[in-house]
Amino acid sequence: RGAPVTMARWLKHPSDWRSVLCIALWPLCVAALYTGRLPGWALALALGLLIYLSLALPVIEHNHMHLRLWRTHRLNRLTDTLLSALQGRPVFLFHPAHNANHHRYHHGPRDAARTYRFAGGDTNHLWGYLLHPLQAVGVLWPLFGAWLARLTARAPAVRRYYLRQIAWAVAFTALMIAIDAAAWLKFVLLPQLLGLHWLLGANYLQHAHADGRSRLQFARNFTGGVNRWFFNIGYHTAHHLQPRLHWSALPAAHQRIASQIDPRLTERSLLRYALVTLVGGLIWRGARSHSLMQAAPPSQRDSGEPIARSL
């Protein structure tokens, strides 16, 4: 009794102080850049931090939409609002595009943004990675309208809440433009687009040339340094199998299934993979990956139903 209220008391998991710190630092970093008065060393530091935070926020959003950060409804809604405003897009888009689509079908034939769906077929190279976010937006966009339309009849209050997320994103954008349009373009819009490409492009990194019809070999895992900076995003198979597992528990979950994952779907370094496979593969055949989309046994094929989420 009488103990001070701490952040850890309100968070579901104490490690999420890192997530909260990133959310708080992004607007502070942008505000410092908006002043236009930073000396050279401070400007470089602020830009580097902004780039990192702009890549971290989509990962935090992803984790928050799977497992809410806070124990209280109000704080979770406040986080929804902040993430929507800072990223320039409503966080509810995660539900139709990611939770109800990608996690339900696990890169299978019914996954709307499966990497092997688009022109060029089942690819895994730099141009495919760069183009995939644009392709994904085109096929995911109809899901957003259909999702809101269903909510109109089934849950109008939820639909109004989602529309408020759009309003907050638009209002924040308008405010930043009104303060300084040139600064908005450099320090808000471009970082937001970078974060969005990282978010959508991750689908390509994690699934291109994996077997979308397999019940286990549908994702690529990165086990190295990317996880220290981006909340264990590299342990993707374990995350798919247990999407509500907290990100801090993913390394242990990955270890329990690592021996069952095709070795070709485990990479230590994301940077090395990108340089060797995506870039080097364009000019050197020996660096290219090979698709695992072979004829899987009937027991391994995706029936169109959700895969069992257990470890």
Side-chain angles (χ1 to χ4, degrees):
R1 188 176 62 179
V5 176
T6 64
M7 185 185 300
R9 181 176 178 181
W10 299 104
L11 287 168
K12 285 185 176 179
H13 198 286
S15 337
D16 277 323
W17 67 267
R18 292 174 51 190
S19 303
V20 176
L21 179 63
C22 287
I23 295 172
L25 283 177
W26 194 93
L28 293 176
C29 189
V30 169
L33 289 165
Y34 255 60
T35 65
R37 299 175 182 175
L38 296 178
W41 66 268
L43 177 62
L45 181 63
L47 287 173
L49 180 60
L50 179 63
I51 291 172
Y52 165 69
L53 293 172
S54 298
L55 298 179
L57 284 188
V59 182
I60 294 167
E61 174 192 8
H62 166 270
N63 295 340
H64 176 62
M65 300 309 287
H66 278 294
L67 180 63
R68 308 295 266 173
L69 286 175
W70 304 97
R71 298 182 185 276
T72 71
H73 184 63
R74 287 185 178 180
L75 285 175
N76 284 320
R77 287 209 161 191
L78 175 61
T79 301
D80 289 347
T81 299
L82 287 172
L83 289 172
S84 296
L86 300 183
Q87 296 184 105
R89 53 183 170 75
V91 297
F92 82 82
L93 298 180
F94 242 96
H95 292 307
H98 190 74
N99 293 345
N101 170 60
H102 183 56
H103 269 272
R104 183 177 186 185
Y105 300 120
H106 297 264
H107 196 239
R110 295 177 65 183
D111 186 337
R114 59 195 181 275
T115 61
Y116 50 91
R117 171 179 183 170
F118 305 104
D122 191 12
T123 65
N124 190 27
H125 48 58
L126 179 62
W127 309 131
Y129 167 69
L130 294 176
L131 185 60
H132 181 76
L134 300 177
Q135 295 171 323
V137 167
V139 297
L140 293 175
W141 191 260
L143 300 182
F144 305 148
W147 183 268
L148 287 175
R150 287 195 297 271
L151 289 175
T152 301
R154 297 180 182 179
V158 175
R159 181 178 183 272
R160 288 193 296 271
Y161 174 57
Y162 289 168
L163 293 178
R164 288 198 296 274
Q165 292 179 9
I166 298 176
W168 277 108
V170 171
F172 179 76
T173 298
L175 176 63
M176 293 294 99
I177 294 174
I179 294 173
D180 189 330
W184 166 77
L185 179 63
K186 293 184 292 185
F187 305 133
V188 178
L189 179 60
L190 289 180
Q192 287 174 341
L193 292 176
L194 179 64
L196 181 60
H197 190 282
W198 165 247
L199 174 67
L200 295 174
N203 186 62
Y204 193 88
L205 294 173
Q206 293 165 329
H207 293 284
H209 275 182
D211 189 349
R213 295 166 298 183
S214 169
R215 292 188 174 272
L216 190 62
Q217 316 303 337
F218 54 80
R220 181 173 291 103
N221 298 276
F222 299 94
T223 61
V226 65
N227 294 298
R228 290 192 292 272
W229 292 96
F230 294 104
F231 307 91
N232 289 332
I233 192 176
Y235 299 110
H236 202 57
T237 303
H239 167 65
H240 262 268
L241 295 178
Q242 216 169 30
R244 287 181 58 81
L245 188 67
H246 191 265
W247 58 265
S248 63
L250 286 175
H254 173 79
Q255 286 303 314
R256 290 196 291 271
I257 59 171
S259 62
Q260 304 172 51
I261 298 174
D262 190 307
R264 291 170 290 182
L265 293 176
T266 300
E267 299 279 347
R268 174 139 187 95
S269 170
L270 173 61
L271 180 60
R272 180 186 178 280
Y273 170 79
L275 291 176
V276 173
T277 304
L278 300 187
V279 180
L282 293 174
I283 56 178
W284 179 36
R285 185 179 297 273
R288 299 172 188 172
S289 64
H290 300 282
S291 176
L292 300 185
M293 288 288 289
Q294 308 294 333
S299 62
Q300 296 267 316
R301 292 176 187 162
D302 189 340
S303 64
E305 296 304 316
I307 295 174
R309 295 173 176 176
S310 64
L311 295 173

